[in-house]
Amino acid sequence: MEKTTVAAGATVAQQRDIIKALTDTVSEEIKPTIDEWKKIKLVGGMVSGALIAVGISAATVAAWAYDWFWSVLRHLIRP
């Protein structure tokens, strides 16, 4: 019984050390990469939103210019 308890304790201690090593590896090597990807996604979302806003604005200006052009043309052509 005592040998089993000691073996179980050693196994748990070994697992704890492995988990701590993996946690340290993740926090030191992988977390900065994940943070950079989050920044890239944020910047990409902001650029995408800006392009959408510019596209909507350009479409609005084009529609307004089209209406204005035809109203001016009708006014000039009118007898």
Side-chain angles (χ1 to χ4, degrees), residues 17-79:
D17 293 340
I18 291 172
I19 291 172
K20 183 176 180 342
L22 288 173
T23 303
D24 292 342
T25 301
V26 167
S27 66
E28 291 174 4
E29 297 178 14
I30 298 173
K31 189 162 181 349
T33 304
I34 292 171
D35 292 341
E36 286 298 317
W37 272 109
K38 287 180 181 178
K39 287 179 188 176
I40 290 170
K41 282 178 58 180
L42 177 66
V43 169
M46 290 170 46
V47 168
S48 176
L51 289 175
I52 289 170
V54 168
I56 290 171
S57 299
T60 304
V61 168
W64 172 81
Y66 179 79
D67 288 342
W68 177 81
F69 174 74
W70 283 113
S71 67
V72 168
L73 192 63
R74 277 190 220 113
H75 179 70
L76 293 175
I77 293 177
R78 208 170 16 169

Side-chain angles (χ1 to χ4, degrees), residues 1-7:
M1 179 73 175
E2 189 175 315
K3 288 181 182 180
T4 305
T5 305
V6 170

